[in-house]
Every structure is written in C-alpha cells, then in structure tokens.
C-alpha cells in the first residue's frame, strides 16, 4: 500500500473506479508517507482525522456511481488557503493559532468534488519569497540533491512545501498560489508541473492576500494531465470575488490530444538575458526543437518592455502588500504583543507587527508604504502601473499576430542551496522571478513543465505562456512538450 502515494491523479482515478483500491487505502498511503517525511518540512499541519472521514465519504460516492474526477484524491493545501477549523496562518507568526470559521472557495470546490485534505503545506511567509526560507515554520527542503552532495536545496517559493510534497509523493497533488512565479518556479525546481491560470479563472476568496491584482491560485501536479483534471475542479465563477470571471469552465483534460500541428509558438528575444547559463539556453533550444518536430511553427517575437517587468513588479506587489497587510494589528485575530506598563494602542500595533512579521515581509511592507506615500506615488506607483499596461500590450500584440503560445525558460537556474542567498543582495533573490513575473503583470496563464536535467542531476523546466482564457490550448501544447521531453526522473529517497 505504501506505493499508492506514487500514483498520479489519473492513475488513481482509474484504480478507484475499477475498485482496485479504496480512497481510504490511498489516503492512508499518503498520510504514512507524509508522517515519515519530517526531514522535508513540507507539511506544517497534518489532518488525518479529516482526511479519513473525507476518504470514507469519497468511497461511498464512488460506490454509488457519483464520482467526479477528483473524488478520493488526497491533496496537500498551501497554508495560504483558509480551511475551516484548521490552522491557516500563511507561514507567519502574526497569524499564530488562527483557525478560520470559513472555507476558501477553491478548497470548498475541491471538497465538493470529493477530494481529500491531508494537511497544510509550508510556504514563504505571506507568499513573499522564492526559496521557502521566509517561513515561520522553517524552510521546506527539496527532495532532490545534487549528485555527490548532501547539501540541502530549496524547493523554490513561495509554494515550496507544495512543490516538495508533490515531488516526494507525500500527496497526489497540491494547491499553490502564484503572484510572480510562486507556482511555476518551485515546480521547475522539483521536476513537477505547475499551472498559473488566467487572472480571474480561480476564485481568490478565502486565500490570504499578498498582492490582490496579481495573486492567482492553481494546481501543482505530477504531470500535465493531472493539472488539467485538477484545474477544472478548482476553476469557476465566484460571486464573492469581484475579480472572478463569469465564464464557463471547459473540460481541460478532453483538450489534451497532443496534436499541435500548425500551432505558432513564439520565442521572445528579450528573454535571452545576460549571463544565462548554457544549460538553460540548450534546454530552451531543445524545447523549441521538440515543438517544431511535433508540427508547430517556431517564430521569433518581441516583448520590448520585458526588461522593466521585474522593477515594476517590485513596486506594485509591495504596494498592494502594504495595504493588504495593514489589517494585521493585533486587534481582531492572530498574535497580540504583550504591552509594558503605560503603553497604549499605538505601542500594541508597533510591537505586534514588529514581533509578528518576518524580515522579508517588513522589507516589502516598508517599500510598499514608501512608493504609495504622497511625495512618491506618481514617481513610482503610477509609473509602474503604466509599465504594466505596456507589458500587457506587448503580449496582446504578439497574440494578435497569430501566435498561440510563448515558450521561455521557467527559471534562470536549477535549485540553489538553503542559505546560499542569505547574505546576498535581496535583488539577487528577486531575479529568480525574471522569467515569470510578466505573466502575472499581464494576467495571462502560464505552465511550467520539467524537460531536462542540469549537470548536477537536478531538474530544469520550461514555461509556456498561453492566450488569456485558453488554458486548454496551452495545456495541450504542454502535454505535447511533456511527451517529447519524456521526463520521468524522480528524486532518490534520502529523507
């Protein structure tokens, strides 16, 4: 039974419907795997009682012939999603002990479809980070290691716990969120598939906010087919989210034909950055060749404002974060600092936020407050919004020319070591998002697919950027690329 956690969603679905296994057996396999993987620090809360009850209910639905695709599938849930009665603290000390009295829309949809919650997954604090090292729980650890080395590597961030759990078979799939690459970068670092849907495709209600105009939830899975299955269950209109799109959700899995003959794939010149490792260059070129061999037309395209995306992002995202995080003041919920004699309400605010937030969150809140201040609003925030409009227009122009998807690297390197960036300039860490932030700035769908290995035996991924609302077409191209790349490597178990 210990092997059941290694199944994909589609593989488990087939076995569950054929009555070869039960949801309870599948869930127990994942619970056992998660309980034995403390060294990865992927889970920050285990929910075996809830999982067992949900699995029993799933078995009953399957027996009655009422089984949606996700019925009986055990999932890990990123700590950013509010789950009723279960600790949900965005990996921050300021929300220590917070147990919501409500369920996020996405997790509600998943439970309604019969999915099973194994527990909550580690992440960067308030989703601010690219290495999972800002977490109040301590860093999640990548299950992969460099050949010949025992050095612990980052699983990426902010959805590092989700990435590590899926790659190590501690769950069949996981939820993630992506504000500037926080699904796609960790997916590439651990050799799994990660999808950032079009902004508005999945509800943000009940997902703890970082930057509201950029945040979007998506699935992190073992392959593209699983991503298509899970995305359909997560997506859909939600009246409680004013940015949710009232559009029908297609059957994404049915669109995975692998036929991409005649599709036009763009290669953006501006993504050829200075100092790009030769391995990443080769991976990108090989990916383009795979798609060409499958019948796609490869064309060079220009996204001229790409070079401004990262600086504009690191104005807009902290600005929105400083506003969103103003609510954490020790008054209504979460941590409240102990006051000294004679101190009042202002000291309570200051102490609570000083003790509750980590260094990276404080840095971004201060940057955000600065760019929104009266003397700098026009110089920074308004200018960054104009740049964002130009970035979106770049993509609109490319897609208007007939391009169906854009192929880029997912990350500028393979996974780096825990602590390697500790004393580096924060901007060096921010450069991990160089290939991913444009997708969030333009509100587009993107997917990271593992397609190769570096010289140290670590996974490398490519990114496909799709047309807005055409996740199905994007996933079909990703499916073809996945088939051509034939990436099946798994980390050697050491934990």
């Amino acid at each position: 039974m210990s092997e059941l956690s290694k199944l994909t969603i589609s593989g488990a679905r087939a076995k569950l419907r054929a009555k070869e296994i039960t949801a309870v057996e599948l869930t127990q396999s994942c619970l056992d795997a998660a309980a034995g993987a403390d060294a990865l620090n992927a889970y920050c809360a285990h929910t075996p009682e809830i999982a067992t009850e949900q699995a029993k209910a799933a078995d009953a639905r399957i027996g009655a012939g009422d089984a949606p695709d996700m019925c009986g599938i055990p999932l890990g849930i990123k700590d950013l999603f509010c789950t009723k009665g279960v600790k949900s603290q965005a990996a921050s000390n300021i929300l220590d002990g917070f147990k919501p009295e409500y369920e996020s829309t996405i997790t509600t949809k998943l439970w309604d479809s019969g999915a099973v919650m194994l527990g909550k997954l580690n992440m960067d604090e308030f989703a601010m980070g690219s290495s999972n090292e800002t977490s109040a729980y301590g860093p999640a650890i990548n299950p992969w290691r460099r050949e010949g080395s025992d050095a612990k590597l980052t699983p990426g961030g902010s959805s590092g716990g989700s990435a590590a759990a899926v790659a190590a078979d501690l769950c069949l799939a996981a939820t993630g969120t992506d504000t500037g690459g926080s699904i796609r970068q960790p997916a590439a670092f651990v050799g799994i598939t990660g999808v950032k849907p079009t902004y508005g495709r999945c509800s943000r209600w009940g997902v703890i906010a970082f930057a509201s105009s950029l945040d979007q939830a998506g699935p992190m899975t073992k392959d593209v087919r699983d991503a298509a299955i899970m995305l359909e269950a997560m997506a859909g209109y939600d009246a409680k989210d004013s940015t949710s799109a009232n559009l029908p959700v297609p059957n994404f899995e049915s669109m995975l034909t692998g036929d991409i003959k005649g599709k036009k794939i763009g290669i953006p010149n501006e993504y050829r950055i200075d100092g790009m490792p030769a391995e990443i260059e080769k991976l990108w070129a090989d990916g383009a060749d795979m798609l060409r061999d499958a019948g796609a037309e490869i064309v060079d395209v220009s996204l001229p404002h790409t070079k401004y995306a990262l600086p504009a992002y690191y104005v807009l995202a902290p600005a929105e974060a400083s506003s969103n995080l103003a609510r954490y003041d020790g008054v209504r919920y979460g941590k409240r600092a102990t006051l000294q004699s004679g101190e009042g309400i202002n000291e309570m605010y200051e102490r609570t936020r000083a003790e509750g937030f980590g260094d990276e969150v404080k840095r971004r809140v201060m940057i955000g407050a600065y760019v929104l201040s009266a003397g700098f609003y026009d110089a920074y925030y308004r200018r960054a919004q104009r740049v964002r409009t130009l970035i979106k227009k770049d993509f609109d122009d490319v897609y208007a020319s007939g391009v169906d998807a854009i192929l880029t690297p997912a990350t500028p390197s393979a996974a780096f070591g825990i602590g390697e960036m500790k004393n580096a300039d924060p901007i060096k860490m921010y450069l991990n998002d160089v290939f991913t932030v444009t997708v969030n700035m333009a509100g587009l769908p993107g997917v990271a697919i593992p397609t190769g290995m570096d010289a140290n035996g670590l996974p490398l991924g490519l990114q496909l950027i799709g047309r807005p609302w055409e996740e199905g077409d994007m996933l079909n191209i990703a499916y073809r690329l996945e088939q051509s790349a034939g990436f099946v490597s798994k980390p050697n178990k050491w934990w």
Side-chain angles (χ1 to χ4, degrees):
M1 196 165 80
S2 63
E3 296 293 301
L4 295 183
S5 67
K6 296 180 180 178
L7 289 170
T8 60
I9 292 175
S10 59
R13 177 182 62 184
K15 288 182 178 294
L16 286 165
R17 289 182 175 178
K19 308 292 195 297
E20 294 176 21
I21 60 172
T22 67
V24 170
E25 291 170 341
L26 179 60
T27 297
Q28 191 58 52
S29 175
C30 291
L31 289 170
D32 291 344
D38 287 349
L40 297 179
N41 200 28
Y43 280 86
C44 54
H46 298 272
T47 56
E49 297 85 3
I50 293 172
T52 302
E53 287 303 309
Q54 289 177 327
K56 288 176 180 176
D59 279 331
R61 287 181 74 173
I62 292 167
D66 170 32
D69 289 333
M70 291 295 292
C71 194
I73 303 299
L75 304 176
I77 303 299
K78 185 176 180 178
D79 198 36
L80 210 62
F81 292 78
C82 287
T83 44
K84 186 175 181 179
V86 178
K87 187 174 70 168
S88 306
Q89 63 181 78
S92 178
N93 285 321
I94 207 161
L95 279 173
D96 187 24
F98 175 59
K99 293 182 179 180
E101 290 300 315
Y102 54 90
E103 191 82 28
S104 78
T105 296
I106 284 178
T107 49
T108 298
K109 283 177 172 287
L110 289 169
W111 311 150
D112 287 349
S113 70
V116 174
M117 179 168 73
L118 298 167
K120 304 299 286 290
L121 294 167
N122 202 348
M123 55 176 281
D124 278 297
E125 184 181 6
F126 282 104
M128 299 182 197
S130 301
S131 65
N132 216 129
E133 292 174 282
T134 70
S135 171
Y137 310 121
I141 306 298
N142 195 326
W144 291 83
R145 286 185 165 177
R146 297 184 183 114
E147 289 178 359
S149 171
D150 290 336
K152 293 179 178 179
L153 305 178
T154 173
S158 64
S159 307
S162 298
V166 175
D169 296 317
L170 311 183
C171 55
L172 268 60
T175 61
T177 62
D178 194 309
T179 306
S182 288
I183 286 174
R184 292 160 288 149
Q185 182 250 24
F189 273 8
V190 302
I192 64 170
T193 299
V195 176
K196 182 260 169 204
T198 310
Y199 182 79
R201 176 66 87 181
C202 296
S203 172
R204 292 184 300 107
W205 195 85
V207 181
I208 297 169
F210 164 13
S212 302
S213 75
L214 299 161
D215 298 343
Q216 185 61 197
M220 301 181 74
T221 60
K222 297 177 184 179
D223 61 25
V224 173
R225 182 173 297 279
D226 283 7
I229 295 167
M230 187 169 168
L231 178 58
E232 185 181 353
M234 293 173 68
Y237 175 66
D238 178 15
K240 296 195 292 291
D241 175 3
S242 63
T243 60
S244 176
N246 194 356
L247 294 171
V249 178
N251 182 334
F252 296 117
E253 186 185 9
S254 69
M255 301 170 82
L256 302 182
T257 63
D259 181 7
I260 62 168
K261 289 184 177 67
K263 293 291 183 185
K264 192 179 283 191
I265 309 297
I267 306 293
N269 298 318
E270 291 78 10
Y271 279 60
R272 301 185 192 282
I273 59 172
D274 292 340
M276 182 188 286
E279 289 173 322
I280 302 293
E281 283 271 17
K282 184 179 185 304
L283 184 84
W284 194 9
D286 289 348
D289 288 342
M290 290 176 204
L291 294 177
R292 186 184 289 109
D293 292 345
E297 179 187 355
I298 307 299
V299 297
D300 287 333
V301 299
S302 180
L303 298 166
H305 295 92
T306 296
K307 63 184 176 182
Y308 304 116
L310 205 61
Y313 172 85
Y314 278 102
V315 169
L316 297 176
E320 294 187 26
S322 72
S323 177
N324 277 324
L325 270 59
R327 71 193 71 176
Y328 305 112
D329 54 14
V331 175
R332 290 174 288 275
Y333 46 78
K335 177 184 175 65
R336 178 182 293 182
T338 303
L339 299 184
Q340 305 298 319
S341 176
E343 291 185 329
I345 188 79
N346 288 335
E347 288 80 9
M348 188 198 75
Y349 293 154
E350 291 167 3
R351 281 185 180 274
T352 297
R353 291 168 69 81
E355 294 173 13
F357 289 142
D359 289 345
E360 182 60 29
V361 172
K362 290 175 187 173
R363 179 184 293 117
R364 298 200 195 191
V365 167
M366 286 190 288
I367 291 170
Y370 179 81
V371 301
L372 289 174
S373 59
F376 301 100
Y377 184 90
D378 287 336
Y380 292 103
Y381 184 76
R382 193 182 297 278
R383 185 172 293 179
Q385 288 286 30
R386 288 173 181 151
V387 169
R388 183 178 188 176
T389 301
L390 293 171
I391 290 167
K392 185 177 186 308
K393 184 179 184 301
D394 288 347
F395 282 103
D396 290 345
D397 291 346
V398 166
Y399 290 132
S401 72
V403 168
D404 295 289
I406 293 167
L407 180 72
T408 78
T411 60
S413 71
F416 50 89
I418 297 289
E420 278 183 17
M421 297 277 199
K422 186 175 182 181
N423 297 315
D425 186 319
I427 292 171
K428 189 174 181 184
M429 182 73 86
Y430 297 166
L431 287 171
N432 274 285
D433 302 330
V434 67
F435 297 131
T436 52
V437 292
T438 52
V439 178
N440 301 80
M441 296 284 272
L444 297 170
V447 56
I449 320 103
T451 49
M453 308 279 276
D454 79 348
N456 293 312
L458 297 178
L460 296 171
L462 290 174
Q463 174 181 232
L464 281 162
I465 305 169
R467 292 169 171 263
W469 312 114
E470 294 188 18
E471 290 91 349
D473 193 39
M474 176 188 77
L475 287 170
N476 184 44
I477 298 168
Y479 180 62
R480 176 70 258 184
L481 182 59
E482 177 185 68
Q483 290 179 316
S484 298
F487 184 95
V488 293
S489 301
K490 298 287 285 185
N492 293 320
K493 186 171 180 180
W494 55 265
W495 58 91

